[in-house]
Amino acid sequence: MRTFTKAIRDALAAETGIDASKLVIESPRDSKLGDFAFPCFVLAKTLKKAPPAIAGELEERVNARLDGIAAKATGPYLNFTVDRATLARGVIEEIDAAGDVYGESDEGADKTVVIDLSSPNIAKPMSVGHLRSTVIGAAIQRLHKRLGYRTVGINHIGDWGSQFGKLVAAVDRWGDTVDLDGDPIKSLLALYVRYHEEEANDPELVQAGRDAFKELESGEDGRVRATWRKLTELSLREFDKIYERLGVEFDLVRGEAFYEPFLDATVDRIVAANITEESEGALIVALDEFGDLPPCLLRKTDGTTLYATRDLAAVFHRWDEFKFHRCLYVVGGDQRLHFRQLKHVLTRMQLDWEPRMEHIDFGMLRLPGGKMSTREGRVVFLEDVLDRAAEEAQKIIAAKNPDLDASGEVAEQVGVGAVVFNDLKRERVKDIEFDWDEVLSFEGDTGPYVQYTHARLASIGRKAAAAGEGSGTPDWAALEDAAPILLAIGRYPDVLTAAARAAEPSQVTGFLIAFCREVNSWIAAARVLGQSEGVTGSRLRLVNASKSLIANALGILGLSAPQEM
Ligand code: ARG
């Protein structure tokens, strides 16, 4: 497709004397007008003429320079239509040649993008918010990877803070009443709940918690730290089960504790920028010049640091290590204030890379079952959500396709995929009301619908192979009716670029749903098998190209592409 837009740009450049890189080719408002449009407004100044006159004059001259592409002036636009056979052949040969990495580019060469994702808090069940962060963050990482960026996905585990002193105290007291090794998260949750029930009437417990955190912060590598380390390991092991089911891996797992050794230097660095002040014994950076933003607290009166201090240490560390092009924090919208504060501390330090730090926020996902409260022990376990999704998918598949083997594996792919897709299908800032029927539907804007389309195309391929059809020389003109599909395949690389730029996987899901609709209606109308050699040949090529595109996009989103379902 880029070959077509390039040819158009070159022809326009030759006729106008304007550098081809400055000429923007768009999609026409109405696809009936053509495949591409060039708005002549941009030339009005240089050529000192009205845009419709320019379009009219350019039409013939540009047509003379183009082969297989027709230009037509419509008002201030010059619209272009690619000959259908040329379009079919060009697009399909391009995607076939690129294979699995169709859409890749080198825009990210020599640039590093750091993605802070998932980042659950240890000793608690992973929340739905962390699920969102994981799947959105991983999709954003894959997008950047495809565009040639070096990516570093960092799981910034919440493993530090006064609550870990409390938990160590609780483990010391009641550790043997629970099955820590067998069922760590539920056990830790029980201890956490018990601590909060008893702390009000038990000053000794409170003191033990404080002492434990103090010892942790002191860096002493004794019994307290050993207990804390064990909590971390047990929690990570549980989280890993979910990561495995989601197919997500991290380049670095660096909890907040990792940045402990850098905290003093971080505070010194900020103090040296002359922007700190003492306020009631605490060390703060005032931010009221940024629309009444509350100050950023660096050190509390008792000398301990905060979440923000550790995040500042982390961003300096990341900058020093990676000199990142972007550092994306995939964190819920409830932390908007926190990230604005961090960014404005950097602004006040006059660090010119501040804009590279971006909070990629997202809305809430509400599961049926209502609001969670870790303190009261009312929580939804993600593992249960994924299990249920797989079970429901299993039922649907068994009803639709009773002969399918490996339905267990496929059910897992479809069930988990449905949950992931549901998370990615809306603009990320939107809140989501989770609805089982909607999530698992084979007909709606869902993961199962897309995966099913893929399986349907795979099945046509299998039938063609069994019948020995489809290897003849393609008759590209037989794809005349498939222009919307071909144009969409051609547009895909630009969709990836835009989605990465906006850190918005929903642009890929939206594209994919529309694409599957086009493909399904084409399949319903056009016969692939049993036609003349050339017709079956070209249609089968489109079936395979479409299948490959769907698998490609599903892969970026983190879903499997089943061959059968
Ligand atoms: N652990 C935090 C939470 O659950 C999220 C951390 C996000 N990343 C960061 N660098 N602050 O609220």
Side-chain angles (χ1 to χ4, degrees):
M1 184 101 128
R2 282 179 176 164
T3 51
F4 302 133
T5 48
K6 183 175 184 303
I8 292 170
R9 256 200 232 112
D10 287 346
L12 285 166
E15 286 302 331
T16 60
I18 292 172
D19 196 70
S21 64
K22 298 216 167 70
L23 300 168
V24 182
I25 306 297
E26 305 174 347
S27 295
R29 270 168 298 118
D30 179 352
S31 61
K32 284 193 202 77
L33 292 169
D35 304 328
F36 306 104
F38 173 68
C40 297
F41 310 98
V42 290
L43 300 179
K45 253 210 181 123
T46 346
L47 303 182
K48 297 199 176 61
K49 268 186 204 150
I54 299 173
E57 275 169 38
L58 281 177
E59 183 185 289
E60 205 184 305
R61 285 161 38 205
V62 167
N63 266 325
R65 288 184 178 270
L66 290 171
D67 200 15
I69 306 176
K72 191 170 180 328
T74 310
Y77 288 91
L78 202 52
N79 294 315
F80 299 87
T81 305
V82 183
D83 162 68
R84 281 351 195 188
T86 309
L87 176 70
R89 179 180 173 167
V91 166
I92 291 179
E93 286 183 347
E94 193 176 326
I95 185 171
D96 283 359
D100 291 345
V101 292
Y102 177 61
E104 80 176 343
S105 81
D106 55 8
E107 75 164 60
D110 305 323
K111 297 191 182 99
T112 301
V113 174
V114 173
I115 299 118
D116 182 303
L117 77 165
S118 194
S119 312
N121 303 317
I122 63 161
K124 287 188 192 175
M126 202 189 290
S127 76
V128 181
H130 298 119
L131 171 76
R132 293 215 74 193
S133 171
T134 308
V135 303
I136 297 172
I140 291 173
Q141 178 166 11
R142 292 186 209 97
L143 271 169
H144 280 90
K145 227 183 224 170
R146 181 62 55 87
L147 299 177
Y149 292 90
R150 172 191 179 206
T151 61
V152 185
I154 306 182
N155 192 351
H156 187 80
I157 303 274
D159 58 1
W160 207 247
S162 50
Q163 69 273 30
F164 296 106
K166 298 178 187 177
L167 209 58
V168 169
V171 172
D172 278 348
R173 265 213 203 172
W174 309 304
D176 46 12
T177 66
V178 292
D179 182 11
L180 261 185
D181 292 280
D183 197 350
I185 300 282
K186 284 188 182 142
S187 307
L188 290 170
L189 185 63
L191 294 181
Y192 186 79
V193 171
R194 183 155 176 193
Y195 181 96
H196 283 285
E197 277 165 5
E198 302 203 7
E199 67 175 340
N201 302 314
D202 192 345
E204 252 175 56
L205 180 65
V206 176
Q207 194 52 47
R210 283 206 192 113
D211 290 345
F213 186 54
K214 206 159 172 204
E215 185 175 328
L216 267 185
E217 284 233 301
S218 75
E220 188 183 322
D221 200 351
R223 213 176 44 82
V224 170
R225 191 163 276 262
T227 306
W228 168 82
R229 204 174 284 128
K230 178 166 178 192
L231 302 181
T232 311
E233 278 158 14
L234 287 173
S235 303
L236 286 179
R237 214 192 294 151
E238 286 299 300
F239 296 155
D240 279 343
K241 291 187 193 159
I242 293 184
Y243 295 142
E244 204 181 312
R245 291 180 80 173
L246 296 173
V248 173
E249 281 172 25
F250 305 95
D251 300 294
L252 298 168
V253 178
R254 281 181 181 167
E256 293 182 38
F258 173 87
Y259 300 99
E260 268 292 290
F262 309 102
L263 289 174
D264 287 339
T266 299
V267 173
D268 290 348
R269 198 158 164 175
I270 303 171
V271 170
N274 272 322
I275 58 167
T276 51
E277 45 196 277
E278 295 269 333
S279 168
E280 294 164 29
L283 187 68
I284 64 159
V285 177
L287 299 172
D288 41 354
E289 65 188 272
F290 306 101
D292 276 339
L293 210 55
C296 180
L297 217 58
L298 298 178
R299 261 195 214 288
K300 289 196 266 193
T301 328
D302 63 5
T304 55
T305 59
L306 298 101
Y307 179 50
T309 327
R310 296 188 285 277
D311 247 334
L312 286 164
V315 80
F316 291 142
H317 192 273
R318 290 168 188 179
W319 175 252
D320 294 342
E321 184 172 2
F322 301 115
K323 293 287 178 293
F324 48 74
H325 174 67
R326 300 175 90 178
C327 181
L328 307 175
Y329 291 79
V330 187
V331 185
D334 51 344
Q335 294 196 26
R336 220 163 273 152
L337 177 63
H338 169 71
F339 286 103
R340 280 179 60 211
Q341 289 178 308
L342 295 187
K343 280 173 68 69
H344 283 311
V345 170
L346 303 187
T347 323
R348 285 207 62 195
M349 292 176 79
Q350 298 183 333
L351 296 168
D352 60 358
W353 49 267
E354 173 273 323
R356 300 184 187 207
M357 175 183 194
E358 299 174 52
H359 179 201
I360 304 303
D361 58 347
F362 53 81
M364 293 236 306
L365 185 145
R366 267 182 295 268
L367 283 169
K371 243 191 132 19
M372 314 216 294
S373 157
T374 327
R375 280 201 183 192
E376 290 160 32
R378 276 189 291 117
V379 292
V380 181
F381 291 94
L382 288 183
E383 230 178 324
D384 297 343
V385 174
L386 297 181
D387 286 347
R388 161 118 192 247
E391 273 163 37
E392 301 286 334
Q394 170 92 279
K395 281 187 221 153
I396 301 174
I397 294 168
K400 280 191 185 268
N401 189 355
D403 304 331
L404 181 62
D405 20 313
S407 63
E409 189 192 326
V410 178
E412 170 80 4
Q413 294 177 345
V414 175
V416 173
V419 173
V420 172
F421 196 92
N422 179 61
D423 232 289
L424 298 175
K425 79 176 184 191
R426 298 165 195 82
E427 240 181 293
R428 57 179 157 72
V429 296
K430 299 219 165 104
D431 289 346
I432 311 178
E433 209 67 59
F434 191 96
D435 171 346
W436 280 109
D437 291 334
E438 187 195 322
V439 170
L440 287 161
S441 160
F442 274 48
E443 266 104 55
D445 299 348
T446 63
Y449 170 68
V450 176
Q451 288 175 321
Y452 180 69
T453 308
H454 180 269
R456 190 176 175 191
L457 297 171
S459 134
I460 296 175
R462 282 193 300 273
K463 281 184 194 140
E469 288 188 35
S471 48
T473 312
D475 169 9
W476 297 114
L479 295 180
E480 163 120 48
D481 299 338
I485 302 176
L486 293 160
L487 289 166
I489 297 177
R491 225 179 43 242
Y492 182 67
D494 295 334
V495 172
L496 296 187
T497 310
R501 177 91 284 287
E504 192 61 88
S506 67
Q507 294 183 5
V508 181
T509 45
F511 168 89
L512 200 44
I513 289 164
F515 184 74
C516 288
R517 281 219 192 89
E518 290 289 356
V519 168
N520 280 313
S521 60
W522 177 71
I523 292 285
R527 293 193 182 285
V528 177
L529 302 181
Q531 311 300 299
S532 73
E533 237 184 59
V535 172
T536 294
S538 63
R539 292 188 178 157
L540 198 62
R541 291 280 294 268
L542 181 61
V543 164
N544 287 332
S546 304
K547 172 175 166 270
S548 148
L549 189 89
I550 294 172
N552 183 321
L554 283 175
I556 285 182
L557 298 170
L559 279 82
S560 317
Q563 300 296 324
E564 269 185 278
M565 64 186 265

